[in-house]
């Protein structure tokens, strides 16, 4: 059908805002989207419906319309319920990219527009689009992604699943090896990808994430390269529906943000926790995380929400950090976070994620817990910075509250250049000597200190004669001007070695 046919549908009452000279374009599909860049989900000649949820400012209109033009859509129909109008910047972007723009009346639902267009399309197309409409209705009516996957499964004749990068199943039946699918998703050089060992094809959900660790993915049985065009089209549509649901979940953060801010500032928090359904006796831990790579703050919040144990964490943003309040309930929260982040490590940039975890406290102690978690996060970030050797560096550091009572807290507060100078002055002479003579002085020093200066135990651990250990220790003292019989010098060497190992 042609665009001008839309104007003859009395139930729609659409108005042309711009593009009157392009009304002979044809429509073959209807798509509803609130993604800022929906280009990957479009195949051309669609009528795109949007409520402008993606628009945070005028510049976003150019990004959105450029994506539509690049995909070859036929027209755009829009209405901003919050503004009560179609923004001028959207009109101008459509005019510039020659995209016909229709205004949808406030009292006309997008589902109504879709139904009317479907009714006027050809019989074959109508059948396909009725199925599309049914899938969208299942999602909008609250039956969730599970019902949508059931419909897709009947259309494709195969099972599909929606998972997170940690292997958690969001919707659909549990696959045989969710952790293996998640690793394949994180490490695939490009998507979609067929995983022969698992007999499954995996697809990304969103294109607007800077890292896959903040995305969901779809896994469908079979090799997508062997699928007919109709099946590939349907999986593209499914990705758009899942992306919509993911985006909707990611916007439900306002209440959590209020609670986290109240906890950090010492404001009254017990009534807010009661509103969230937490019992007065609930024990909480605070968790603070920072991303030292490409993750944006909102994506970091998504990742932290995913790796926290339990089902009701409250996660908000404080400055560039994500801060969470989670039920402790006797769990090893730090250990579970570490395990979950280790699973995500293949998808993290080399700079990684630093996490601090507080002690368990009642609601009244949450302000102190948040401060404790943020101090622990700072220490974790320090460890990320000072452990850079390829064989030992991990993109994940989790620090527990009990580590804050040791010397490592002092190291965390020392500027990077001072730490580096301290380590170089003490250890570089030993490293240089080892490189030239193969003397293993650094290892001898570390073993000597670990054994509290015991010549015998040090010799046994290094498989050396005691006199050889005495010779090496003397050489260390000669090269550095320090005396290992003095407590002060032993402490300095101990701290320098800790800075070296991270």
């Amino acid at each position: 059908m042609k665009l001008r046919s839309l104007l003859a549908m009395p139930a729609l009452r659409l108005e042309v805002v711009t593009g009157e000279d392009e009304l002979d374009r044809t429509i073959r599909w209807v798509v509803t989207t609130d993604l800022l860049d929906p280009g990957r989900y479009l195949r051309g000649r669609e009528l795109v419906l949007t409520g402008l949820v993606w628009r945070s400012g005028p510049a976003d209109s150019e990004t959105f319309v450029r994506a539509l033009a690049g995909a070859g859509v036929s027209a755009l129909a829009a209405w901003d319920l919050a503004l009560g109008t179609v923004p001028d910047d959207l009109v101008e972007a459509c005019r510039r990219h020659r995209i016909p723009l229709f205004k949808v009346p406030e009292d006309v639902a997008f589902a109504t527009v879709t139904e009317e267009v479907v009714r006027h399309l050809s019989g074959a197309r109508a059948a396909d689009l009725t199925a599309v409409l049914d899938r969208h209705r299942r999602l909008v009516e609250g039956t969730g992604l599970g019902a949508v996957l059931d419909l897709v499964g009947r259309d494709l004749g195969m099972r599909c699943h929606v998972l997170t990068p940690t292997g958690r199943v969001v919707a659909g039946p549990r696959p045989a090896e969710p952790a293996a699918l998640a690793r394949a998703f994180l490490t695939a050089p490009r998507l979609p990808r067929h995983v022969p060992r698992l007999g499954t094809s995996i697809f990304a959900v969103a294109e607007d994430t800077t890292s896959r660790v903040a995305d969901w993915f779809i896994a469908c049985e079979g090799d997508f390269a062997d699928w007919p065009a109709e099946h590939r089209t349907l999986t593209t549509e499914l990705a758009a529906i899942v992306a919509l649901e993911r985006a909707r979940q990611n916007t439900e953060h306002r209440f959590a943000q209020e609670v986290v801010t109240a906890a950090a500032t010492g404001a009254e928090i017990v009534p807010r926790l009661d509103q969230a359904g937490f019992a007065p006796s609930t024990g909480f831990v605070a968790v603070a995380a920072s991303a030292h790579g490409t993750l944006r703050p909102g994506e970091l919040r998504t990742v932290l929400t995913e790796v926290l144990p339990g089902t009701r964490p409250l996660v908000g943003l404080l400055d560039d950090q994500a801060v969470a309040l989670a039920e402790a309930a006797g769990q090893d929260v730090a250990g579970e976070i570490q395990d979950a982040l280790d699973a995500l490590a293949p998808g993290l940039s080399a700079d990684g994620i630093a996490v601090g975890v507080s002690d368990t406290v009642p609601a009244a102690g949450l302000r102190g817990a948040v401060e404790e978690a943020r101090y622990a996060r700072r220490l974790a970030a320090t460890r990320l910075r000072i452990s850079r050797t390829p064989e030992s560096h991990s993109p994940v550091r989790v620090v527990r509250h009990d580590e804050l009572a040791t010397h490592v807290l002092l190291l965390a507060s020392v500027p990077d250049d001072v730490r580096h100078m301290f380590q170089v002055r003490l250890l570089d002479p030993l490293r240089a000597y080892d490189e030239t003579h193969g003397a293993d002085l650094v290892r001898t020093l570390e073993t000597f200190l670990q054994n509290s200066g015991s010549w015998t135990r040090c010799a046994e651990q290094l498989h050396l004669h005691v006199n050889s250990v005495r010779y090496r220790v003397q050489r260390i003292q000669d090269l550095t001007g320090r005396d290992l019989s003095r407590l002060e010098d032993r402490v300095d060497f101990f701290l320098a070695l800790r800075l070296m190992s991270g």
Side-chain angles (χ1 to χ4, degrees):
M1 62 177 290
K2 293 186 178 181
L3 288 178
R4 64 177 66 258
S5 300
L6 297 173
L7 302 177
M9 297 179 184
L12 301 187
R13 307 195 316 277
L14 299 181
E15 298 179 24
V16 180
V17 179
T18 184
E20 294 87 347
D21 56 342
E22 301 283 351
L23 295 182
D24 284 331
R25 293 186 181 185
T26 58
I27 305 170
R28 69 166 187 85
W29 203 258
V30 182
V31 173
T32 301
T33 184
D34 281 312
L35 297 176
L36 178 59
D37 184 358
R40 66 172 295 182
Y41 307 115
L42 302 171
R43 293 296 177 267
R45 291 192 294 142
E46 294 95 341
L47 171 64
V48 175
L49 309 177
T50 183
L52 278 71
V53 172
W54 47 265
R55 183 181 178 275
S56 59
D60 289 340
S61 292
E62 172 65 20
T63 301
F64 181 79
V65 176
R66 185 171 60 244
L68 301 188
V73 304
S74 294
L76 173 65
W79 179 254
D80 191 322
L81 185 60
L83 293 177
T85 186
V86 177
D88 291 340
D89 46 88
L90 180 61
V91 176
E92 180 55 33
C94 287
R95 184 176 294 119
R96 187 163 50 250
H97 290 282
R98 299 179 62 83
I99 296 293
L101 174 62
F102 293 87
K103 182 176 75 173
V104 181
E106 181 175 348
D107 60 340
V108 175
F110 285 173
T112 301
V113 177
T114 302
E115 286 177 309
E116 288 295 313
V117 173
V118 167
R119 193 172 293 120
H120 287 76
L121 288 171
S122 66
R125 286 298 180 191
D128 290 341
L129 289 173
T130 299
V132 172
L133 181 61
D134 198 9
R135 284 187 286 275
H136 278 276
R137 276 179 172 165
R138 292 291 185 104
L139 185 62
V140 173
E141 290 170 358
T143 51
L145 288 176
V148 176
L149 291 179
D150 287 343
L151 285 170
V152 171
R154 287 198 292 270
D155 285 350
L156 296 183
M158 62 188 179
R159 295 196 306 171
C160 292
H161 326 264
V162 179
L163 300 96
T164 71
T166 63
R168 179 175 65 87
V169 179
V170 177
R174 181 177 177 84
E177 297 184 51
L181 286 172
R183 185 172 183 84
F185 168 68
L186 290 172
T187 58
R190 64 181 60 85
L191 295 171
R193 177 194 176 190
H194 178 233
V195 186
R197 186 179 71 81
L198 302 175
T200 302
S201 294
I202 53 178
F203 305 81
V205 167
E207 277 193 334
D208 59 345
T209 55
T210 60
S211 172
R212 289 180 188 169
V213 298
D215 197 3
W216 288 353
F217 69 98
I218 300 169
C220 294
E221 295 175 343
D223 185 349
F224 72 96
D226 299 331
W227 295 349
E230 294 79 6
H231 284 193
R232 297 188 189 183
T233 299
L234 198 53
T235 54
T236 299
E237 180 212 329
L238 175 59
I241 294 174
V242 175
L244 179 63
E245 176 66 7
R246 173 182 171 276
R248 181 158 56 192
Q249 290 191 15
N250 285 346
T251 60
E252 297 173 356
H253 293 301
R254 181 175 178 179
F255 178 76
Q257 182 66 55
E258 291 177 355
V259 177
V260 169
T261 301
T265 58
E268 181 60 48
I269 194 173
V270 174
R272 291 182 171 91
L273 293 173
D274 180 65
Q275 182 182 349
F278 291 101
S281 59
T282 300
F284 293 91
V285 296
V287 181
S290 58
H292 301 263
T294 59
L295 279 177
R296 297 184 291 238
E299 294 172 335
L300 175 63
R301 177 174 55 195
T302 298
V303 172
L304 184 57
T305 302
E306 175 64 26
V307 302
L308 283 168
T311 57
R312 295 190 298 168
L314 299 169
V315 186
L317 296 175
L318 297 178
D319 302 322
D320 60 345
Q321 299 173 29
V323 175
L325 311 177
E327 290 182 89
Q331 296 169 299
D332 178 11
V333 175
E336 294 193 37
I337 292 174
Q338 180 75 60
D339 292 343
L341 286 175
D342 285 343
L344 294 178
L348 292 171
S349 65
D351 293 334
I353 290 180
V355 178
V357 182
S358 78
D359 196 2
T360 303
V361 298
L366 278 173
R367 182 177 185 179
V370 170
E371 292 179 358
E372 187 174 62
R374 298 185 81 177
Y375 273 115
R377 182 219 59 82
R378 183 177 179 183
L379 175 56
T382 298
R383 291 181 174 177
L384 277 176
R385 288 196 299 270
I386 64 179
S387 60
R388 292 300 188 196
T389 57
E391 63 274 10
S392 65
H393 180 62
S394 165
V396 174
R397 284 291 186 276
V398 179
V399 170
R400 304 168 188 262
H401 63 92
D402 52 10
E403 296 184 61
L404 297 180
T406 70
H407 63 279
V408 291
L409 179 59
L410 297 177
L411 296 180
S413 64
V414 178
D416 288 348
D417 56 344
V418 176
R419 286 197 301 270
H420 178 71
M421 185 183 302
F422 179 75
Q423 181 196 147
V424 164
R425 286 181 176 178
L426 277 174
L427 300 182
D428 266 18
L430 307 183
R431 293 194 192 101
Y433 191 89
D434 284 347
E435 289 177 4
T436 303
H437 302 283
D440 218 7
L441 295 185
V442 173
R443 180 170 174 240
T444 300
L445 171 63
E446 187 171 16
T447 306
F448 182 76
L449 294 176
Q450 287 173 346
N451 288 281
S452 303
S454 168
W455 304 101
T456 302
R457 291 199 302 272
C458 183
E460 289 174 352
Q461 193 166 330
L462 293 173
H463 306 291
L464 296 173
H465 192 277
V466 171
N467 287 341
S468 298
V469 174
R470 292 182 183 274
Y471 171 80
R472 289 188 182 183
V473 169
Q474 185 59 51
R475 177 61 61 187
I476 290 169
Q477 296 177 142
D478 292 342
L479 290 170
T480 61
R482 299 298 187 106
D483 184 353
L484 281 169
S485 66
R486 288 166 41 88
L487 176 62
E488 300 95 314
D489 288 340
R490 288 190 185 185
V491 169
D492 285 347
F493 277 123
F494 172 77
L495 294 176
L497 289 167
R498 286 303 301 266
L499 287 171
M500 180 179 72
S501 65

